[in-house]
Amino acid sequence: TVFEGVADTVAWLEKERSIKVRYMTNNATLSREQAAAKFRSRGLKSARVENIYSSAYVGALHLGTKLANDPSTPNKFNKNVFVVGTEGLHQEVREVLAPGRMTYGLELNEVPYNGSKVASSFVKKHLPAPKGSTSGGKNVSLSDLDIGAVIIGLDWGWNIHKLSVASMLLQQHKRIKGKEEVHFVSTNRDPQIPMGKEGWLLPGAGAQVESLVAVSGRQPDVVCGKPNLPMIELLFEQEKI
């Protein structure tokens, strides 16, 4: 919601006072491009990709900078990433992946759940092939996917299948000999989102994060959005403050 007078105030600050305005949001369902378009549609005409800091963007940059794991691809994450989130979060993560790497997760939005099959999916090919893959539509295993990180934001397609697969990935180093520990990145931990004129409290990303914490037994390695430090640290770094 953009309150009355905000758009005019922002425009005045930029034009009359030459103040640089930056937009910070914990909304990880939108890419920065999508967020900028949404802000502009609500009267914030100066919104553009370069001045938006979202928890999705900060989470992706954490992968591409703090967790960059191959000197041959600096500032790129050279593993595939399991994304619990919308297409907007996938878009931001794809920007920081090394060539040939991909995101995975949207493929499970409509897949019927079978706990026995999921539990054997590291060794058996029970998962749908990644979108755009050259597998000819054949199923894949979790081992085939070569996942190096799980990143989670609010996911409109959240289901028990995604929860189970994400949890297994976060446990793999304890359950399977020789498997490395997968990074666990949370965009934000906002537990609720007020919706509707009555202000109903509906699940936010934090509610989904807490369920993954409960099942996997792991806390996120980093929480990127407000009020945590990574977002403001990135702002300071990018703006040279």
Side-chain angles (χ1 to χ4, degrees):
T1 301
V2 178
F3 295 106
E4 184 179 354
V6 168
D8 289 339
T9 300
V10 169
W12 181 84
L13 287 171
E14 292 181 315
K15 182 177 180 180
E16 302 298 332
R17 290 291 184 266
S18 299
I19 291 175
K20 295 180 179 179
V21 174
R22 299 294 179 258
Y23 301 89
M24 302 178 72
T25 175
N26 272 2
N27 187 337
T29 65
L30 303 175
S31 67
R32 286 180 300 151
E33 184 175 349
Q34 292 169 329
K38 184 174 183 178
F39 290 157
R40 289 195 299 269
S41 74
R42 296 187 177 185
L44 297 167
K45 301 303 183 183
S46 68
R48 57 190 185 280
V49 170
E50 294 78 12
N51 60 14
I52 291 175
Y53 291 84
S54 71
S55 64
Y57 174 53
V58 179
L61 277 191
H62 183 81
L63 291 173
T65 55
K66 307 296 184 184
L67 302 180
N69 52 357
D70 187 341
S72 67
T73 54
N75 295 325
K76 297 291 183 181
F77 188 68
N78 199 10
K79 282 278 191 176
N80 296 325
V81 178
F82 187 80
V83 176
V84 180
T86 64
E87 174 61 26
L89 180 54
H90 280 262
Q91 288 177 22
E92 290 295 340
V93 173
R94 290 184 197 120
E95 291 294 320
V96 302
L97 297 182
R101 293 300 185 176
M102 65 179 183
T103 61
Y104 186 84
L106 294 174
E107 293 81 356
L108 301 182
N109 278 9
E110 305 295 335
V111 178
Y113 180 72
N114 182 315
S116 296
K117 282 189 173 181
V118 172
S120 62
S121 59
F122 263 109
V123 293
K124 295 186 177 180
K125 298 180 184 293
H126 290 316
L127 301 177
K131 294 179 183 296
S133 74
T134 57
S135 68
K138 295 180 180 179
N139 283 358
V140 297
S141 70
L142 270 178
S143 294
D144 294 333
L145 290 175
D146 190 27
I147 300 294
V150 171
I151 185 169
I152 181 170
L154 183 59
D155 188 350
W156 308 127
W158 178 244
N159 56 37
I160 193 170
H161 205 148
K162 288 186 180 181
L163 172 60
S164 299
V165 170
S167 175
M168 288 175 65
L169 289 166
L170 294 176
Q171 298 174 67
Q172 69 174 30
H173 62 293
K174 292 184 177 180
R175 311 287 180 193
I176 303 175
K177 186 176 181 179
K179 286 286 188 181
E180 296 181 352
E181 185 172 0
V182 166
H183 300 290
F184 185 7
V185 178
S186 171
T187 57
N188 70 86
R189 279 185 110 156
D190 296 347
Q192 305 151 333
I193 299 175
M195 299 288 285
K197 63 181 181 181
E198 297 88 355
W200 296 109
L201 296 178
L202 302 184
Q208 296 174 352
V209 173
E210 292 307 317
S211 64
L212 183 51
V213 167
V215 177
S216 68
R218 280 185 60 181
Q219 293 289 334
D221 301 323
V222 62
V223 181
C224 297
K226 303 174 292 183
N228 302 282
L229 286 176
M231 182 177 284
I232 197 67
E233 288 175 342
L234 175 64
L235 174 69
F236 282 12
E237 180 182 332
Q238 299 283 79
E239 304 293 336
K240 296 179 171 53
I241 298 174

